[in-house]
Amino acid sequence: MADGADVMVVQLVVEGHPVPQGTLVRNPHGGLYYPKPLKVWRKAIAVEAQRAMRGLPMIRARCTASVRFYIAPTKGGKSPGRLRGDLDKLVRAVFDAVTGVIIEDDELVVGLIASKAPVEAGHVERVDFSFAIVTV
């Protein structure tokens, strides 16, 4: 890192079952909506993001993100041990939940490290994530 650089890092852990943000669902009247589990998950992330950002300025410049999901593996079925949820859609739910809270717009994210892992015994499903910006 160059001399004189300031680094802002926002780190969070949000417990709960990670829900991927897929496509909108059409109701019988033709309207579109996101399913309730996704809305609940995004709200949980947004609440924790607001708590973490108290007193900090929103990121309004290019930044990097690191996101790691801890998910309970499937049991039985055709693919036991699978970690459900497309990684890109899991990340999209996080980014949409923190837009306007941690980052001004998710297009500001210029670098991303994302992964899924099985939740450890004795722990709960969760997402650990951070956003970092370097200003010179």
Side-chain angles (χ1 to χ4, degrees), residues 20-39 92:
Q21 184 163 320
T23 56
L24 290 164
V25 177
R26 187 171 302 278
N27 70 24
H29 305 289
L32 297 173
Y33 67 96
Y34 284 116
K36 186 173 182 176
L38 174 62
K39 290 180 183 179
R92 193 164 98 194

Side-chain angles (χ1 to χ4, degrees), residues 31-51:
L32 297 173
Y33 67 96
Y34 284 116
K36 186 173 182 176
L38 174 62
K39 290 180 183 179
V40 170
W41 176 238
R42 283 178 39 176
K43 178 72 174 177
I45 294 168
V47 166
E48 289 302 318
Q50 289 167 347
R51 194 172 291 140

Side-chain angles (χ1 to χ4, degrees), residues 94-116:
V94 170
F95 281 11
D96 283 358
V98 302
T99 295
V101 181
I102 294 177
I103 54 176
E104 184 176 52
D105 193 308
D106 59 5
E107 74 177 5
L108 294 170
V109 178
V110 296
L112 171 65
I113 297 173
S115 62
K116 296 188 294 186

